[in-house]
């Protein structure tokens, strides 16, 4: 309707909401296409701020699908724009560049980027961004050998997730948390994560949250010596995840 009536800003918002809905439903390839269409539309119509927001939203999807180089390129273009880009787009970009650095083990600038992103998210109650940045910081602590700090940060992150109904960005963080606690032998923590993910997965069907539950149950089975059960859970997770990191 907005396109038919040539209502530029409502049409841009509709493109953005479609892409966001596809991302939340784990339709990542479709979300990348939708965000790209939204960016192109906004740029052609001169809505630069909205274009930057949609452009920034491409990055987390690309990180999930392993397109790290492309994600960093997108984010750098936003960060290089400075104050010409909206601050929320810049903070998403900073967080994703930091996360890619952590995933690659290239941690030199990651803490500053993730800390800036996390502080902005907490201040403005952008929960998805908060989760992603806190997840990155916990992994960064673990990479640096700061095991106690990593575990404390991870516990705090799990507490924050438990208080909210968010079912998308939380899942990757909870999957990593389950593995981290399992490696340290904290069976109670892993069981608590499994229970938390089960609440998020309830009624959702074949979704990323269901994969998160299978992942946590696999870690729990392995801790309890049920190797066959763990293999079954992890194999099912791998089949469902496909190309998602």
């Amino acid at each position: 309707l907005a396109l038919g009536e040539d209502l530029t800003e409502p049409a841009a918002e509709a493109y953005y909401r479609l892409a966001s809905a596809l991302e939340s439903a784990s339709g990542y390839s479709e979300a990348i296409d939708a965000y790209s269409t939204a960016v192109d539309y906004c740029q052609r119509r001169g809505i630069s701020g909205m274009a930057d927001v949609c452009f920034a939203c491409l990055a987390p999807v690309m990180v999930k699908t392993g397109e790290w180089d492309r994600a960093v390129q997108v984010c750098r273009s936003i960060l290089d724009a400075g104050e010409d880009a909206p601050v929320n787009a810049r903070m998403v970009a900073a967080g994703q560049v930091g996360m890619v650095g952590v995933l690659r083990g290239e941690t030199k600038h990651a803490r500053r980027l993730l800390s800036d992103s996390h502080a902005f998210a907490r201040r403005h109650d952008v929960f998805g961004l908060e989760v992603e940045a806190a997840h990155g910081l916990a992994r960064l602590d673990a990479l640096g050998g700061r095991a106690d700090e990593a575990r404390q940060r991870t516990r705090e992150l799990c507490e924050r997730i438990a208080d909210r109904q968010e079912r998308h960005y939380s899942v990757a963080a909870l999957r990593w948390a389950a593995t981290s606690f399992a490696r340290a032998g904290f069976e109670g923590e892993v069981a608590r994560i499994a229970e938390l993910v089960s609440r998020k997965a309830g009624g959702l069907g074949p979704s990323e949250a269901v994969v998160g539950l299978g992942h946590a149950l696999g870690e729990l089975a392995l801790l309890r010596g049920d190797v066959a059960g763990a293999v079954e859970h992890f194999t099912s997770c791998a089949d469902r995840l496909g190309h998602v990191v």
Side-chain angles (χ1 to χ4, degrees), residues 2-3 5-17 38 41-42 45-51 54:
L3 286 170
E5 297 294 331
D6 200 29
L7 302 174
T8 301
E9 293 192 3
E13 180 71 16
Y15 274 128
Y16 170 79
R17 290 187 178 279
Y41 177 82
C42 291
R45 295 305 183 101
I47 316 173
S48 57
M50 191 65 177
C54 292

Side-chain angles (χ1 to χ4, degrees), residues 19-231:
S20 181
L22 289 167
E23 179 188 356
S24 295
S26 304
Y28 295 122
S29 296
E30 296 86 352
I32 287 174
D33 289 343
Y35 279 127
S36 299
T37 300
V39 170
D40 181 64
Y41 177 82
C42 291
Q43 288 175 338
R44 285 189 287 106
R45 295 305 183 101
I47 316 173
S48 57
M50 191 65 177
D52 286 331
V53 170
C54 292
F55 207 33
C57 290
L58 267 172
V61 185
M62 292 174 179
V63 171
K64 279 184 174 292
T65 56
E67 298 179 68
W68 295 350
D69 287 340
R70 190 178 172 197
V72 170
Q73 183 180 22
V74 165
C75 291
R76 288 295 183 196
S77 70
I78 293 168
L79 294 172
D80 289 346
E83 293 187 1
D84 288 340
V87 64
N88 54 336
R90 299 200 308 271
M91 289 299 98
V92 170
Q96 294 305 310
V97 172
M99 177 58 92
V100 171
V102 171
L103 292 171
R104 285 176 161 165
E106 300 167 357
T107 60
K108 183 177 181 181
H109 303 294
R111 187 170 299 276
R112 175 182 58 80
L113 292 165
L114 290 165
S115 295
D116 287 350
S117 182
H118 186 260
F120 174 85
R122 286 297 298 264
R123 191 162 57 247
H124 296 280
D125 194 27
V126 186
F127 189 65
L129 181 58
E130 176 190 337
V131 168
E132 295 238 305
H135 176 195
L137 287 166
R139 294 180 76 136
L140 187 60
D141 285 337
L143 277 174
R146 295 179 290 273
D148 290 342
E149 291 90 336
R151 281 194 288 271
Q152 181 59 33
R153 195 185 293 275
T154 304
R155 288 188 181 103
E156 291 171 357
L157 174 57
C158 290
E159 290 292 339
R160 289 284 293 166
I161 290 172
D163 289 338
R164 304 290 283 263
Q165 295 300 312
E166 201 278 326
R167 293 177 169 179
H168 177 55
Y169 296 103
S170 302
V171 175
L174 290 171
R175 285 174 50 214
W176 178 81
T179 296
S180 179
F181 283 128
R183 286 177 176 173
F186 289 95
E187 183 178 328
E189 300 280 8
V190 179
R192 183 172 178 276
I193 290 170
E195 191 277 331
L196 176 56
V197 183
S198 73
R199 299 206 308 264
K200 294 185 178 296
L204 291 182
S207 68
E208 194 175 349
V210 174
V211 170
L213 175 58
H215 184 127
L217 290 174
E219 295 288 8
L220 196 58
L222 197 59
L223 270 173
R224 293 172 174 172
D226 180 8
V227 176
V231 169

